[in-house]
Amino acid sequence: MTTSPPGAELQQQRETALIAAILSGEREKFHDLIRPYERQVYHTALALLKNETEAEDVAQEAILRAYRKLASFRGDARFSTWLLAITLNEARTCLRAEKRASLDSLDSTDYGDGVVTPAQLTDWRELPSEALEREEVRSLMQQAIAELPVTFREVVILRDMEELSVNETAEALGISISLVKVRLHRARLLLQKALAPRLRVAWKPEKKRGVIRRLPWF
């Protein structure tokens, strides 16, 4: 059993009340529900896709889909976990579409043309000042994570970037807890192998059996 962090129950109660109000017709309250997670959704999409425009499209589509599917949210997981699962699915769809387009050599000059999105989301690119420190190290980390296979990249994003628990990561990805642990272990080994020669001087991993536990990310 996992214990909820302080304030988590109050947050969950607030979200439950908002969801009930939205489903009863107060649609404008959806923006109150989604606002705390706007940046998280965008940054998750960006970390997976490595393209700002595509990340914006995916984030907007994920939030729109969450609105449409809100009645199916049963509260078994946290709302944020459910929302991230939708974001990951949208990002995967985008990656598959890119792969098909690349294979077929399609010229999609009208991609996204005329798309009408819901209310404009805010603060996606507003990064805290400390995130701008050690830019070189951060850039190396981003590059290394971008080169991971998608299944490993997803686990690293959720566990080390978004700091979800193992249980929440498993829920978001729709896989077992043991598989999350295996993928995360392998992903961190791959990251260490790729980064160790370059980060030996620039940055030292957290001293916990030499495993990279926290990443200099957004």
Side-chain angles (χ1 to χ4, degrees):
M1 295 286 293
T2 56
T3 56
S4 299
E9 287 188 15
L10 288 176
Q11 175 72 6
Q12 189 170 357
Q13 290 171 7
R14 174 183 174 275
E15 290 175 350
T16 300
L18 281 172
I19 290 169
I22 294 162
L23 294 177
S24 68
E26 298 180 61
R27 298 180 180 179
E28 71 282 356
K29 289 191 175 180
F30 182 71
H31 300 297
D32 295 328
L33 176 66
I34 216 74
R35 191 171 294 116
Y37 307 114
E38 291 175 354
R39 286 177 58 189
Q40 187 179 29
V41 166
Y42 171 71
H43 285 155
T44 298
L46 180 60
L48 202 58
L49 299 171
K50 309 313 299 178
N51 180 289
E52 290 185 355
T53 301
E54 290 177 355
E56 288 180 5
D57 290 343
V58 162
Q60 289 280 11
E61 184 58 34
I63 287 175
L64 185 59
R65 189 170 295 273
Y67 175 74
R68 290 171 177 163
K69 295 177 63 176
L70 192 58
S72 69
F73 176 66
R74 306 197 183 281
D76 298 330
R78 288 196 303 171
F79 175 76
S80 59
T81 304
W82 182 74
L83 180 59
L84 284 180
I86 293 175
T87 304
L88 289 171
N89 284 334
E90 291 300 319
R92 289 169 186 156
T93 299
C94 183
L95 288 171
R96 285 194 295 268
E98 278 183 0
K99 194 176 230 181
R100 285 196 301 269
S102 176
L103 290 173
D104 297 338
S105 299
L106 296 178
D107 180 16
S108 55
T109 54
D110 61 340
Y111 177 77
D113 197 26
V115 172
V116 178
T117 60
Q120 182 66 38
L121 304 182
T122 57
D123 295 332
W124 280 356
R125 293 195 182 93
E126 188 177 330
L127 305 179
S129 59
E130 61 266 26
L132 301 179
E133 298 174 0
R134 313 186 79 163
E135 182 68 28
E136 183 179 358
V137 173
R138 196 161 62 93
S139 177
L140 290 173
M141 293 295 295
Q142 290 172 343
Q143 182 181 348
I145 293 173
E147 292 169 357
L148 288 173
V150 174
T151 53
F152 292 163
R153 200 186 319 160
E154 290 173 344
V155 172
V156 170
I157 289 168
L158 294 180
R159 283 288 288 130
D160 290 339
M161 274 182 54
E162 302 300 341
E163 299 185 342
L164 267 62
S165 69
V166 173
N167 286 11
E168 290 167 342
T169 301
E171 289 170 356
L173 294 174
I175 60 178
S176 68
I177 291 173
S178 60
L179 188 52
V180 167
K181 292 177 179 178
V182 168
R183 288 184 182 177
L184 186 62
H185 177 68
R186 291 177 180 171
R188 286 172 173 166
L189 288 177
L190 288 173
L191 286 176
Q192 285 185 329
K193 184 176 180 180
L195 292 169
R198 288 173 284 179
L199 294 183
R200 192 166 289 127
V201 176
W203 180 68
K204 293 182 180 179
E206 190 176 344
K207 293 181 179 178
K208 188 177 286 188
R209 296 184 182 177
V211 175
I212 296 175
R213 291 289 300 171
R214 300 180 65 84
L215 305 181
W217 204 259
F218 296 112

